[in-house]
């Protein structure tokens, strides 16, 4: 594939910061991401969000026979993609505006790949969580600082409600760090690739999420006091004691299993 600079010149376009347009130029990483992505799970089709100039798409087309669909917001790039990959549907527009019911229905499953626009990291993860019934797995690259929050351990500054709510929905595999030089233009930070495998929904999931949100509502306050504000009907000190947890504890010290145990106390 030609260098993005050359293609963009031809298209009379420039990389748009507002759309997080940093194009992958490392053949090593492009291969590695697509390989890891295609090897996971059981799926009927493949979607790529923000294919840009097609660095990942190009490899996808050579490595899978499954139907592919592309979702690109940029009009000029969408036209370019349609020319490059004439047999692949390109949906021009904001991926977050799509109604998944119009695109896929169970029992079909989709695998989703994206060298993600950084500014959409959280909404994209939540979109995936909403559509787990048709999702085989997804692989996203994130700004490293954001990825650090996803894979953080208890009692660290990056650990919080994002870490735990993501863990409620998905198992995560960290695929490594892409240096800034793997992209054109090079961003100011490095990126992290993470593969997400959905966990089955359970009846207590929503309760656990409400509890996590309440527990982290005021990070500096003791967790029992945060929980009391939202669920005053529960005697939290007694519940913590029963679980062998200090009533003085702050939310960032608890594991997901401990949150699950406590969520059973909510009526
Ligand atoms: N996948 C390409 C690559 O690896 O070289 C481009 C990645 S670039 C970081 C992000 C891409 O997402 C850009 O092509 C951008 O136009 C597109 N994009 C940004 N916001 C989007 C949205 N809301 N929906 C779909 N695509 C979007």
């Amino acid at each position: 594939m030609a260098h993005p600079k050359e293609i963009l010149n031809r298209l009379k376009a420039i990389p748009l910061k507002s759309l997080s347009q940093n194009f992958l130029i490392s053949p090593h990483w492009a291969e590695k991401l697509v390989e890891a992505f295609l090897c996971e799970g059981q799926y009927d089709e493949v979607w790529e969000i923000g294919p840009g100039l097609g660095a990942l798409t190009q490899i996808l087309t050579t490595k899978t026979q499954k139907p592919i669909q592309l979702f690109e917001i940029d009009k000029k790039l969408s036209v370019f993609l349609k020319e490059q990959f004439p047999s692949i549907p390109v949906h021009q527009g904001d991926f977050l505006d799509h109604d998944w019911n119009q695109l896929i229905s169970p029992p079909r499953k989709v695998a989703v790949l994206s060298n993600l626009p950084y500014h959409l990291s959280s909404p994209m993860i939540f979109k995936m969580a909403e559509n787990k019934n048709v999702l085989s797995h997804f692989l996203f690259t994130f700004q490293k600082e954001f990825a650090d929050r996803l894979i953080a351990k208890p009692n660290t500054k990056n650990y919080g409600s994002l870490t735990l709510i993501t863990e409620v929905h998905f198992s995560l595999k960290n695929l490594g760090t892409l240096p800034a030089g793997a992209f054109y233009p090079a961003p100011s930070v490095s990126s992290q690739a993470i593969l997400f495998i959905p966990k089955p929904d359970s009846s207590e999931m929503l309760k656990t999420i409400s509890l996590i949100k309440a527990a982290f509502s005021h990070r500096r306050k003791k967790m029992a006091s945060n929980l009391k504000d939202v669920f005053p009907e529960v005697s939290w000190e007694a519940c913590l004691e029963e679980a062998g947890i200090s009533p003085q504890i702050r939310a960032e010290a608890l594991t997901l299993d401990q949150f699950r145990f406590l969520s059973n106390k909510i009526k």
Side-chain angles (χ1 to χ4, degrees), residues 214-233:
F216 282 91
S217 53
H218 300 283
R219 217 178 152 106
R220 287 172 179 277
K221 271 171 58 175
K222 281 181 216 136
M223 186 180 72
S225 147
N226 282 335
L227 295 183
K228 231 182 268 169
D229 290 345
V230 183
F231 304 104
E233 68 285 4

Side-chain angles (χ1 to χ4, degrees), residues 19-263:
L19 296 180
S20 307
Q21 289 184 344
N22 301 96
F23 302 100
L24 191 60
I25 52 170
S26 158
H28 162 75
W29 272 103
E31 285 278 341
K32 183 170 167 171
L33 295 180
V34 173
E35 279 286 339
F37 170 69
L38 291 175
C39 287
E40 189 64 47
Q42 299 281 320
Y43 49 93
D44 304 289
E45 52 190 277
V46 167
W47 297 354
E48 188 187 347
I49 307 170
L53 297 170
L56 297 172
T57 324
Q58 182 66 53
I59 302 174
L60 279 175
T61 57
T62 64
K63 297 203 182 238
T64 182
Q65 302 297 319
K66 307 276 183 196
I68 302 174
Q69 301 200 51
L70 304 177
F71 298 83
E72 174 55 61
I73 199 168
D74 185 301
K75 280 194 183 137
K76 276 190 186 170
L77 300 192
S78 299
V79 172
F80 171 79
L81 289 162
K82 280 179 192 159
E83 284 166 10
Q84 290 295 302
F85 308 104
S87 60
I88 300 181
V90 180
H91 304 269
Q92 194 263 311
D94 184 341
F95 177 78
L96 291 171
D97 290 343
H98 281 284
D99 175 1
W100 285 46
N101 295 321
Q102 306 293 320
L103 297 165
I104 187 165
S105 40
R108 281 181 78 77
K109 295 263 182 191
V110 61
V112 182
L113 175 66
S114 185
N115 175 16
L116 203 67
Y118 286 157
H119 61 289
L120 297 181
S121 300
S122 296
M124 285 289 182
I125 293 178
F126 291 123
K127 192 60 150 181
M128 297 297 131
E130 276 168 30
N131 291 287
K132 275 194 322 190
N133 61 330
V134 287
L135 191 64
S136 152
H137 63 281
F138 63 101
L139 191 166
F140 284 173
T141 59
F142 302 99
Q143 190 166 343
K144 184 158 183 326
E145 282 69 12
F146 182 88
D148 286 345
R149 291 170 57 205
L150 295 176
I151 56 180
K153 298 285 176 235
N155 282 316
T156 62
K157 74 172 180 3
N158 285 322
Y159 187 74
S161 54
L162 177 71
T163 323
L164 284 153
I165 294 172
T166 306
E167 197 188 342
V168 167
H169 288 293
F170 305 106
S171 303
L172 275 60
K173 279 191 200 169
N174 182 358
L175 300 179
T177 306
L178 290 75
F183 299 93
Y184 169 83
S188 49
V189 290
S190 45
S191 300
Q192 191 92 17
I194 299 184
L195 186 85
F196 296 73
I197 299 139
K199 293 179 181 170
D201 276 338
S202 66
S203 52
E204 78 270 9
M205 224 171 208
L206 289 179
K207 271 199 221 169
T208 308
I209 292 173
S210 314
L211 188 79
I212 292 168
K213 285 183 179 163
F216 282 91
S217 53
H218 300 283
R219 217 178 152 106
R220 287 172 179 277
K221 271 171 58 175
K222 281 181 216 136
M223 186 180 72
S225 147
N226 282 335
L227 295 183
K228 231 182 268 169
D229 290 345
V230 183
F231 304 104
E233 68 285 4
V234 181
S235 166
W236 288 108
E237 272 88 359
C239 295
L240 289 169
E241 202 172 310
E242 185 191 336
I245 301 169
S246 159
Q248 308 300 319
I249 207 157
R250 290 181 203 283
E252 60 263 32
L254 262 70
T255 63
L256 180 57
D257 281 343
Q258 287 172 312
F259 277 111
R260 280 206 188 103
F261 174 85
L262 293 175
S263 67

